[in-house]
Amino acid sequence: MRLVILTQYYPPEMGAPQARLSELAKRFVARGHEVTVVTAMPNYPTGKIHAGYGGLLRREEHYGARVIRTFIYPTQRADFLHRLSNYFSFVFSSAFFGTFLLGRTDFIIVESPPLFLGLAGYWLSRLKRARLIFNVSDLWPDSVVRLGKLREGSRGHRCSLWLEKFCYGKAWLVSGQSAGILQDIRRRFPSMRQFHLSNGVDPKAFNQSHRSEQLRQELGKGRSCLAIYAGLHGLAQGLDQILAAADRLRDLSELAIILVGDGPEKEDLQRQAIAMQLPNVQFLPARPRGEMAALAASADIALVTLKMHLPGAVPSKIYEAMGVGVPVLLVADGEPAEIIRRTECGLVTPMNDAAALAEALRKLVADPALRRTCGENGRRAAETEFNRDIIVSRFIDYLEKAIAC
């Protein structure tokens, strides 16, 4: 089977889509299939092309998959013109180079967002006579409207709705990262063929064997209980909620709150922390993917926050915390909250409620037995329900069966 993954985001960039898609490609290769990834020059989330990359085209190999990187206009600015330039520069460059460099293909998987990449995916699927799989990890344009980046009913919103319908309608299969995403799509497009390609974790890569006392000492700086957020510092994450909770926990001398990562909101968050003179908060730069298991396993509490309800959104940090057996403190509702409560792997607090978040942190800090029980429950769920090997194996079986028919 010949498979193409078309995605704007891919390692060495850090992030949930990058990790998920590279793991998907690796497992397809391990099953004996031929994988080509068409992606952009790495630039996320800083908006700067990584050292050693650039230009119009670069070819390399990653875990046995052929990787074709094409031009992108890099930017971290969130205004309309710059974001469109970023998205469409890759739409056009991937469509152009894919036309000449891709051979015969059975399936093309398009990662959305950005929704616009569906145009390049449709063009290449028709040209290569491949079945188009539209993989939805975030419901555009709904989430963009909720984040205030697009006005509902505007011309841009109407065009986005048309493009969403076009991409779903041209796809042979729509896959989704969460049950909520697929429920939303099924409600609006009931005849669509769907597959639940859940996010998950590799329990062999994320486990307690990576816990490092040396790293804990470096991070804690004398504090014994580490609550760590590791990921994008963006608008949707609402990390100011963590700062507000930290302000209420100054008396907990053992608690260190550590925010690891980068993103458009980081500088503003750092300014807020300085203005608030928070002694229990520190910011660290993003860590390479190879260090994430040790970072996650060395925490006592995994912080996962959302600022608003985004239908279908399930942060990948939940699964990594489960894998390493660390309790999750979630600020969210909907499907993520249901997962935490059902698996009993942590605590859930309402969004934008600093008092509730502070109280939940205080509870976890004071109760090591509760932390241990939640961690064990999470590890069990990672091995059985959210095991990436099992999830991807089912997807490969599904596609192999389609080819055989």
Side-chain angles (χ1 to χ4, degrees):
M1 182 166 62
R2 295 175 177 86
L3 177 80
V4 170
I5 299 175
L6 177 60
T7 172
Q8 185 167 318
Y9 308 104
Y10 206 71
E13 294 176 338
M14 297 290 292
Q18 293 88 333
R20 172 171 42 81
L21 293 171
S22 64
E23 291 293 324
L24 180 69
K26 182 167 66 174
R27 283 163 174 78
F28 265 93
V29 170
R31 285 275 290 262
H33 300 297
E34 182 181 310
V35 179
T36 300
V37 180
V38 180
T39 188
M41 297 293 171
N43 68 101
Y44 179 86
T46 61
K48 298 179 181 178
I49 298 293
H50 291 200
Y53 291 90
L56 295 177
L57 178 69
R58 177 183 174 123
R59 285 180 273 195
E60 57 192 22
E61 186 174 298
H62 188 264
Y63 289 121
R66 183 171 65 128
V67 179
I68 300 172
R69 297 188 180 274
T70 69
F71 171 79
I72 191 170
Y73 170 74
T75 183
Q76 196 183 48
R77 295 177 63 176
D79 61 273
F80 184 73
L81 181 60
H82 283 86
R83 294 316 301 169
L84 282 186
S85 298
N86 174 259
Y87 295 141
F88 276 100
S89 62
F90 179 61
V91 169
F92 290 128
S93 70
S94 62
F96 177 80
F97 285 107
T99 296
F100 298 102
L101 298 180
L102 293 178
R104 179 177 168 271
T105 302
D106 296 304
F107 297 101
I108 294 180
I109 300 178
V110 178
E111 174 74 3
S112 175
L115 185 64
F116 312 107
L117 196 53
L119 296 172
Y122 174 64
W123 162 254
L124 293 173
S125 69
R126 291 297 299 269
L127 190 67
K128 307 301 175 180
R129 297 182 179 179
R131 300 183 190 185
L132 178 64
I133 301 173
F134 201 66
N135 188 59
V136 184
S137 60
D138 192 7
L139 285 167
W140 274 30
D142 182 80
S143 60
V144 185
V145 171
R146 289 173 181 265
L147 289 169
K149 301 297 183 182
L150 187 65
R151 183 171 56 84
E152 187 172 7
S154 65
R155 181 179 299 176
H157 182 233
R158 294 195 303 271
C159 289
S160 297
L161 288 173
W162 176 88
L163 181 57
E164 180 191 37
K165 182 178 180 180
F166 174 84
C167 292
Y168 293 163
K170 297 301 181 182
W172 171 78
L173 175 72
V174 174
S175 55
Q177 294 344 110
S178 70
I181 285 175
L182 293 180
Q183 288 169 2
D184 181 273
I185 296 172
R186 190 179 302 116
R187 175 178 58 82
R188 294 180 293 129
F189 305 96
S191 62
M192 187 65 57
R193 181 189 288 113
Q194 297 184 349
F195 189 94
H196 186 190
L197 184 58
S198 172
N199 207 341
V201 66
D202 182 350
K204 298 188 293 295
F206 280 80
N207 55 63
Q208 269 292 303
S209 70
H210 294 284
R211 186 177 175 89
S212 167
E213 290 304 320
Q214 179 181 346
L215 180 59
R216 285 176 53 79
Q217 292 174 13
E218 292 174 1
L219 296 175
K221 300 185 184 302
R223 296 175 181 251
S224 59
C225 188
L226 311 185
I228 298 180
Y229 171 88
L232 179 66
H233 293 38
L235 179 63
Q237 286 70 39
L239 299 184
D240 55 322
Q241 300 172 89
I242 296 177
L243 301 186
D247 190 36
R248 296 170 177 262
L249 298 171
R250 295 173 183 266
D251 59 304
L252 292 184
S253 59
E254 65 268 47
L255 175 63
I257 298 175
I258 303 160
L259 306 178
V260 184
D262 206 339
E265 299 293 310
K266 183 169 184 175
E267 290 185 5
D268 186 54
L269 289 164
Q270 289 176 311
R271 285 193 291 268
Q272 290 182 47
I274 292 171
M276 297 167 72
Q277 298 183 334
L278 297 174
N280 49 3
V281 175
Q282 62 172 307
F283 291 84
L284 297 177
R287 298 257 175 159
R289 181 66 187 171
E291 298 180 16
M292 293 308 294
L295 181 66
S298 299
D300 296 290
I301 302 165
L303 295 171
V304 182
T305 63
L306 289 175
K307 190 176 183 66
M308 63 193 71
H309 177 67
L310 297 174
V314 180
S316 63
K317 292 176 282 294
I318 290 174
Y319 306 114
E320 293 177 355
M322 286 179 171
V324 297
V326 168
V328 177
L329 179 45
L330 175 73
V331 180
D333 59 10
E335 190 172 348
E338 188 275 330
I339 290 173
I340 300 301
R341 294 189 178 109
R342 175 170 53 78
T343 60
E344 299 182 333
C345 70
L347 301 180
V348 178
T349 67
M351 295 175 287
N352 304 305
D353 189 340
L357 176 56
E359 187 58 33
L361 265 171
R362 191 180 295 276
K363 181 177 181 179
L364 286 170
V365 170
D367 196 342
L370 175 61
R371 299 201 304 266
R372 183 169 56 254
T373 299
C374 290
E376 291 170 352
N377 291 340
R379 175 64 189 181
R380 192 176 304 112
E383 292 175 327
T384 57
E385 185 176 354
F386 301 110
N387 188 323
R388 183 166 274 147
D389 285 336
I390 298 173
I391 293 166
V392 175
S393 180
R394 289 171 180 162
F395 185 52
I396 297 175
D397 290 344
Y398 183 87
L399 299 187
E400 287 178 342
K401 184 177 179 180
I403 287 290
C405 294

